[in-house]
Amino acid sequence: AAANGWGVPVAECRAARSVVTHTPTGRTVTYGQVADAAGRLEAPKDVPLKDPRTWTIAGQPLPRLDTAEKLTGAQVYGIDLSPIQPRFSAPNVKYQVDDVEQPWTFPHDHFDYVHTRILYGSMRDWAAFFAQSFAHLRPGGYVECQEIAVDARADDGTLPPHSTITAWCANQEEAMRRAGGMSLLITGAELKTMMEAAGFVDVVAREFKIPIGQWPADPRMREAGTFQLVSLLEGISGLTMALWTRFLGWERDEVEDELAKVKAEFQRKDVHSYWPAYAVYGRKPLEGKTG
């Protein structure tokens, strides 16, 4: 019904989480908005079953809200600058509005595991964060960071240096540095070095590639790229507008015109772009008790 309304091929649309998305343009419509039109369509007589290799829910190791209960029952804390956490969670999970770059309110040698994800552009002093993590972890405890560098790449040369995507990444980095001295280009090697300097041992840095768009041949990576593309198309204006108008001197109309070009380039299947992503973790030595 959504494809008919847009006048596009069904193959260009995907449905997930009660929303139908036209992948090439990023247009969306909810199930409820097309329910009436869908009800007037003739039901197909032959519905092919999905290949189990393409399943994204059945048989997959999806995260669960009750995981905390099913582990050891240990207290789990979620820290954020804003009160945006879910209303319902496992009974041993608590959310706290706080700034991890300020002195921590927890005792030393308190945690078994400290975990962060996607704090690029938010962390001014990673070294200080790792020092606090070391102090507040119990001996033998781990810290893990998962980050993405806003540095779009293409290993096959399909993303030239003069592309609008490359220019967007460079402008984002410059605006963030002017905004508060923060960087969007943190790497796994840099995180590893700072962890080791804080005292962590057995530090491991792993690098991944998150595709942007539907260009990958592998079905799983193509799906990941599709999710990344849709997320980017929907959120790029919010990521860009305030930074460029406040710190780079752009006018709103200029930003919107430039973003239209960036979006178009991200959607090209002949541009094989991806984000470099990193997972880095290290252990506090057993003899590393904090006094």
Side-chain angles (χ1 to χ4, degrees):
N4 290 344
W6 289 325
V8 300
V10 174
E12 293 183 354
C13 301
R14 64 176 184 84
R17 299 181 181 180
S18 303
V19 175
V20 180
T21 301
H22 182 227
T23 303
T25 63
R27 288 180 294 181
T28 61
V29 64
T30 65
Y31 288 179
Q33 291 172 313
V34 295
D36 185 59
R40 294 194 294 270
L41 297 176
E42 182 179 353
K45 295 182 175 58
D46 182 20
V47 180
L49 298 179
K50 292 181 66 176
D51 187 325
R53 293 174 296 181
T54 67
W55 291 355
T56 58
I57 297 179
Q60 302 299 315
L62 299 178
R64 301 170 59 106
L65 280 177
D66 57 357
T67 297
E69 292 179 292
K70 291 186 175 183
L71 294 176
T72 65
Q75 187 68 58
V76 177
Y77 293 92
I79 309 297
D80 204 323
L81 287 171
S82 303
I84 58 173
Q85 295 73 32
R87 294 176 57 191
F88 302 102
S89 63
N92 61 319
V93 174
K94 291 184 178 179
Y95 297 105
Q96 181 170 317
V97 177
D98 209 341
D99 184 350
V100 295
E101 295 203 82
Q102 297 299 314
W104 292 13
T105 59
F106 301 97
H108 283 183
D109 304 309
H110 182 68
F111 295 111
D112 295 302
Y113 180 59
V114 173
H115 173 269
T116 71
R117 179 181 296 152
I118 315 299
L119 289 184
Y120 64 80
S122 300
M123 191 77 75
R124 287 185 170 85
D125 192 341
W126 281 98
F129 166 76
F130 289 131
Q132 290 213 84
S133 297
F134 190 91
H136 292 273
L137 278 166
R138 294 172 180 166
Y142 279 83
V143 62
E144 178 177 2
C145 301
Q146 299 174 359
E147 291 297 324
I148 294 176
V150 183
D151 180 24
R153 304 175 183 176
D155 294 339
D156 57 1
T158 55
L159 187 64
H162 61 272
S163 73
T164 58
I165 293 175
T166 302
W168 178 79
C169 292
N171 282 339
Q172 288 290 100
E173 174 68 6
E174 177 62 22
M176 284 302 303
R177 290 191 178 278
R178 293 186 186 183
M182 296 171 286
S183 176
L184 305 175
L185 301 178
I186 191 71
T187 67
E190 291 172 320
L191 293 172
K192 182 176 186 292
T193 297
M194 287 185 283
M195 280 189 189
E196 291 172 336
F200 290 98
V201 297
D202 300 330
V203 180
V204 175
R206 300 182 61 193
E207 182 172 351
F208 305 88
K209 298 177 181 180
I210 302 178
I212 309 168
Q214 294 187 304
W215 60 264
D218 179 78
R220 183 168 177 269
M221 297 302 288
R222 188 185 310 118
E223 181 179 47
T226 301
F227 283 129
Q228 184 61 216
L229 176 63
V230 172
S231 175
L232 189 61
L233 294 177
E234 293 178 351
I236 194 170
S237 180
L239 294 170
T240 309
M241 188 61 69
L243 286 175
W244 289 25
T245 55
R246 295 177 187 175
F247 302 103
L248 299 183
W250 288 54
E251 297 295 331
R252 183 180 183 89
D253 290 346
E254 293 177 323
V255 177
E256 291 177 348
D257 289 344
E258 185 67 13
L259 288 183
K261 300 173 186 176
V262 176
K263 290 179 181 180
E265 191 167 52
F266 269 126
Q267 294 177 78
R268 286 174 49 183
K269 290 186 178 181
D270 62 335
V271 174
H272 302 159
S273 58
Y274 68 87
W275 302 121
Y278 309 94
V280 187
Y281 57 90
R283 177 175 60 84
K284 180 175 180 177
L286 291 174
E287 65 276 12
K289 186 176 179 65
T290 305

